[in-house]
Amino acid sequence: MRKRLKDNRAIVALFFLSLCSGWLFISPLWAQESVAHHVLSFPERQNQYVHVTLNLPVDGEVVELAMPSWTPGSYVIRDFAAQLERIRAIDSKGRPAEIEKVAKNRWRIQTGGSSSLTIDYDIWAGELHVSSSWVERDFALINGAGVFLFSDDSLEWPQRIELELPAEWQNVFTSLPAEQLPNGFLASDYDELIDSPIVAGEARSYPFSVDGQGYVLVNVGETDFWDGQKAVEDLSRLVREQQEFWEVNPFDRDYLFFNFLLIFKGGLEHDNSTVMMSNRWLMRDRLEYIKWLALASHEFFHAWNVRRMRPQALAEYDYEKEVYTHELWLAEGLSSYYDNLLLFRAGLVSVNEYLDIMGTEFRNYETVPGRQIDSVETASFDSWIKHYVPDANSVNSTVSYYRRGALIGFVTDAAIRRETGDEFSLDDVMRQMYQQYGPQGEGRGSYPPGAFEEIVEAIAGPEVRSMVQRLLRTSEDPDIDAALDWYGLRLDRFPGRTAAALADLPMPAGFGMSWNVENAQLIIDQVVKGATAADAGVIPGDELLAINGQRALPGTIEDILKRLRPGDQVQLTLARHGQLMNLGVEVQNGIPENFIITVNPNISRAEKTRLQNWLGRPLNFIE
Ligand SMILES: [Zn+2]
């Protein structure tokens, strides 16, 4: 929607013009004039406010300021403007300027002919999330999209940040280059400002370097249960593995891992940093720790895949409305495929741990009926109304482009290896994509629709390409069993606890529904379409009271289910809108709990070689 001066020809022309006309000495002054200057202070941090003063050069009678409605990497409208309060403006002579709100996120200001305006406002920073800002007594996380205003002109200008910090706050961390001011930083334009989270206040940092590249792990909320030494050692192996994978170091500065050890909220990627939110006890639980490593792996992989090589639709952000792309399966799904695989290649998880993770991923995919409704391309396009805003029927109505995208990555990888006699792989496709569409390639950081399929065809032939196209555009399941088989692996889908299945115990029973415990009540949250509960008319929100007259409570329901057998007819007693009701339901098999991947006992020599090539490490365990 806006004209952006990102065109390289324009920049070259400007440079040429400056040389010809002797402007070379003047242009820095001109550039200096058009700088947006944002000052952040925290006088009301106890109430979770950040105060912002923006000094902005202006031109003309009116200027419109806007707040982004979403932030890149998190494809949902968040309407950050809702947290902005008490906006005022004065002109360069100190006279109040008139402000009129003209859209949910836009303010029109009368300049009175002034050459600059000073606008100040407060942001309530009380949503602890990787996309939002958070301020409390001891620290602040600033995510720019919900804090900094822009005008159509200022998007291209350098953005100066100045932080006025409480005396007790000793630390500031951001990937932005420092400027002379105390706690001053400079972003080259608004995009970089928004892409550079800032953490100030109480935090513990662990700088480390791998092959000459600097990294910093910045922990907020660290306790004695965190082992900094181990985290740095493991991250070092991870970043080395990924740098070797891509064969190009994209960073011109230190990369920061912002690691909030407070509550699990996932992660968000940036050019030179990531914000991750996890549980503070994670180092005391191996599975939780592996999940944290996988999160770091995923976000770091994004430094290449999506930050520096992204779908064309995201090449330039329109911060005010949805930006649609069919390719989040590539940006997110393939990052999800590699996040765990590279953990194994880096030696951070054992082969059994890796196969278990894959089994769980397959299970989580196959137990979702919505996979028969949506393709990954549709799911990507609809992320704004589906993935980020799930409802009680999501399980039936859509598929995760992360999950199916990762599976498509897995079968595509196997297909390329098979078709090329194990000479090439998906790794080569990713590297070729980066070469062509990364910052140095013809795509200048973005790829057109179909670019991935074209490279797949160039490397592995038209058949693999048409398989990929089918998997992207239809709801066909990726054939994971065939791909596993090619590596000499097999997948067993156990309907219940593995031990029970192996010991030939009765199949665990269920109705195809799940519930939450709320105030000691069993509240149905998901009903799987096609299962017996759904057919009998159970709907999300029903409270389950009894099964065949037997009171069902959080402590007893598992016991009742254990005694039921598939095929039994029972009565469910439910409360809906405060009214009791009985529904007759047939008991069915429980939703499969365990998908276990094992090495085929008769694995051939050729399969061993393929498996080893794919996993990328010697596999002595097979011998
Ligand atoms: Zn991601």
Side-chain angles (χ1 to χ4, degrees):
M1 71 158 223
R2 285 177 298 269
K3 269 209 130 141
R4 311 287 299 266
L5 195 83
K6 278 270 166 67
D7 190 316
N8 281 317
R9 280 164 307 178
I11 293 167
V12 170
L14 194 65
F15 181 67
F16 188 67
L17 188 68
S18 358
L19 281 177
C20 294
S21 61
W23 276 17
L24 197 57
F25 301 103
I26 303 170
S27 54
L29 287 177
W30 164 80
Q32 244 177 13
E33 273 173 14
S34 297
V35 172
H37 185 173
H38 311 260
V39 181
L40 302 187
S41 59
F42 303 87
E44 283 186 88
R45 62 188 184 281
Q46 76 281 7
N47 296 327
Q48 302 200 273
Y49 281 95
V50 50
H51 184 75
V52 187
T53 305
L54 165 62
N55 188 270
L56 195 71
V58 291
D59 191 11
E61 285 304 304
V62 291
V63 64
E64 264 189 42
L65 294 183
M67 176 70 87
S69 294
W70 65 285
T71 195
S74 184
Y75 308 99
V76 65
I77 295 296
R78 294 188 185 274
D79 283 331
F80 295 117
Q83 276 82 50
L84 186 148
E85 298 172 18
R86 293 173 275 186
I87 186 166
R88 293 172 307 172
I90 51 170
D91 66 15
S92 54
K93 297 204 170 77
R95 295 173 302 211
E98 195 182 311
I99 304 182
E100 182 193 0
K101 195 153 187 200
V102 290
K104 64 178 179 179
N105 67 321
R106 283 195 159 245
W107 295 261
R108 184 178 296 151
I109 307 177
Q110 302 293 331
T111 65
S114 177
S115 59
S116 72
L117 288 175
T118 302
I119 300 105
D120 77 283
Y121 54 93
D122 292 291
I123 297 289
W124 179 69
E127 197 196 351
L128 187 61
H129 191 271
V130 295
S131 310
S132 318
S133 294
W134 175 266
V135 172
E136 62 171 72
R137 189 191 58 183
D138 299 329
F139 70 90
L141 163 65
I142 300 298
N143 271 309
V147 173
F148 301 115
L149 295 174
F150 64 88
S151 70
D152 289 354
D153 291 336
S154 79
L155 281 168
E156 305 300 335
W157 299 346
Q159 311 276 324
R160 182 177 291 145
I161 315 291
E162 195 181 334
L163 298 166
E164 290 175 359
L165 298 180
E168 314 86 73
W169 291 11
Q170 302 293 326
N171 301 303
V172 184
F173 299 95
T174 175
S175 61
L176 288 174
E179 250 214 337
Q180 290 154 346
L181 301 159
N183 295 328
F185 302 91
L186 188 68
S188 59
D189 60 13
Y190 188 80
D191 287 346
E192 192 186 10
L193 177 69
I194 295 312
D195 185 50
S196 308
I198 303 167
V199 168
E202 209 163 274
R204 176 126 191 238
S205 66
Y206 298 87
F208 60 101
S209 160
V210 178
D211 302 328
Q213 168 63 41
Y215 302 87
V216 190
L217 170 66
V218 179
N219 282 348
V220 176
E222 182 185 320
T223 64
D224 293 344
F225 306 108
W226 183 264
D227 181 345
Q229 181 79 16
K230 179 173 170 52
V232 163
E233 272 168 28
D234 290 351
L235 282 180
S236 298
R237 289 163 84 166
L238 179 63
V239 297
R240 175 174 287 125
E241 189 64 40
Q242 295 215 9
Q243 292 275 13
E244 284 171 4
F245 175 93
W246 288 103
E247 297 175 353
V248 49
N249 179 7
F251 306 116
D252 62 359
R253 62 193 76 173
D254 287 359
Y255 180 93
L256 305 176
F257 290 92
F258 291 117
N259 184 35
F260 289 79
L261 295 162
L262 305 170
I263 182 172
F264 179 78
K265 294 272 182 179
L268 190 66
E269 67 276 7
H270 300 284
D271 274 5
N272 299 298
S273 65
T274 174
V275 176
M276 307 189 293
M277 294 194 175
S278 307
N279 169 351
R280 62 161 48 105
W281 295 94
L282 65 92
M283 275 231 175
R284 293 296 168 94
D285 182 306
R286 175 73 185 156
L287 265 185
E288 288 271 315
Y289 184 61
I290 291 175
K291 275 189 196 160
W292 179 77
L293 288 172
L295 179 63
S297 179
H298 182 97
E299 302 308 332
F300 191 62
F301 198 79
H302 275 318
W304 292 265
N305 185 28
V306 95
R307 287 304 320 169
R308 290 174 176 82
M309 169 180 87
R310 63 177 82 136
Q312 221 162 47
L314 295 169
E316 286 182 359
Y317 303 119
D318 182 337
Y319 290 111
E320 296 185 74
K321 62 179 200 302
E322 294 86 346
V323 177
Y324 298 103
T325 168
H326 287 110
E327 280 133 337
L328 293 179
W329 58 267
L330 201 170
E332 294 298 347
L334 296 192
S335 296
S336 293
Y337 170 57
Y338 279 109
D339 60 21
N340 289 316
L341 180 56
L342 294 176
L343 284 192
F344 176 76
R345 289 189 187 161
L348 295 169
V349 296
S350 70
V351 71
N352 287 332
E353 283 172 331
Y354 179 56
L355 296 181
D356 280 354
I357 292 168
M358 281 185 79
T360 305
E361 286 298 315
F362 294 163
R363 183 248 178 219
N364 290 343
Y365 170 74
E366 283 191 12
T367 50
V368 169
R371 74 184 200 280
Q372 288 156 353
I373 302 291
D374 263 350
S375 70
V376 275
E377 288 196 343
T378 317
S380 164
F381 195 85
D382 280 342
S383 66
W384 302 88
I385 55 167
K386 287 197 172 182
H387 182 83
Y388 282 92
V389 274
D391 58 31
N393 198 43
S394 293
V395 68
N396 298 314
S397 69
T398 190
V399 67
S400 159
Y401 48 81
Y402 283 78
R403 212 160 261 155
R404 185 187 266 159
L407 265 58
I408 291 173
F410 170 64
V411 300
T412 303
D413 198 0
I416 296 169
R417 289 168 190 272
R418 197 178 52 229
E419 285 302 310
T420 63
D422 228 353
E423 200 179 326
F424 296 102
S425 70
L426 186 62
D427 305 2
D428 298 297
V429 173
M430 297 305 285
R431 284 190 283 264
Q432 183 63 36
M433 282 286 293
Y434 195 77
Q435 216 171 56
Q436 247 169 281
Y437 302 108
Q440 313 303 329
E442 67 194 57
R444 299 251 161 245
S446 72
Y447 48 82
F452 176 84
E453 294 96 300
E454 259 173 42
I455 293 180
V456 166
E457 178 168 357
I459 288 181
E463 273 178 38
V464 182
R465 178 197 184 131
S466 62
M467 177 200 79
V468 170
Q469 279 176 339
R470 248 181 12 253
L471 292 177
L472 298 180
R473 286 173 205 160
T474 70
S475 58
E476 181 180 315
D477 285 327
D479 192 345
I480 49 179
D481 297 278
L484 287 167
D485 188 58
W486 194 73
Y487 294 119
L489 299 171
R490 53 175 284 181
L491 169 64
D492 288 297
R493 297 158 170 86
F494 293 111
R497 287 163 311 230
T498 323
L502 292 177
D504 238 0
L505 292 172
M507 299 271 255
F511 306 98
M513 63 188 197
S514 62
W515 53 82
N516 287 324
V517 176
E518 293 170 18
N519 298 324
Q521 298 171 318
L522 301 170
I523 308 294
I524 309 299
D525 74 328
Q526 288 185 329
V527 183
V528 173
K529 211 167 159 185
T532 54
D535 290 346
V538 179
I539 61 175
D542 286 348
E543 180 190 355
L544 177 61
L545 293 167
I547 299 175
N548 261 11
Q550 172 109 21
R551 187 77 170 95
L553 292 164
T556 63
I557 178 133
E558 299 293 344
D559 251 15
I560 301 174
L561 288 177
K562 243 190 269 173
R563 287 165 173 76
L564 296 174
R565 299 279 175 272
D568 287 348
Q569 299 289 331
V570 297
Q571 289 261 316
L572 297 186
T573 305
L574 305 161
R576 181 181 300 172
H577 314 308
Q579 183 92 33
L580 292 190
M581 60 196 296
N582 286 309
L583 294 176
V585 181
E586 183 180 317
V587 178
Q588 61 169 70
N589 291 342
I591 295 171
E593 281 175 18
N594 281 294
F595 279 33
I596 306 292
I597 298 171
T598 47
V599 177
N600 199 325
N602 306 317
I603 186 167
S604 69
R605 185 165 293 273
E607 287 165 344
K608 278 185 200 172
T609 308
R610 294 171 195 161
L611 183 58
Q612 195 151 295
N613 286 346
W614 168 51
L615 290 176
R617 268 173 59 202
L619 297 172
N620 303 325
F621 79 103
I622 300 176
E623 295 303 322

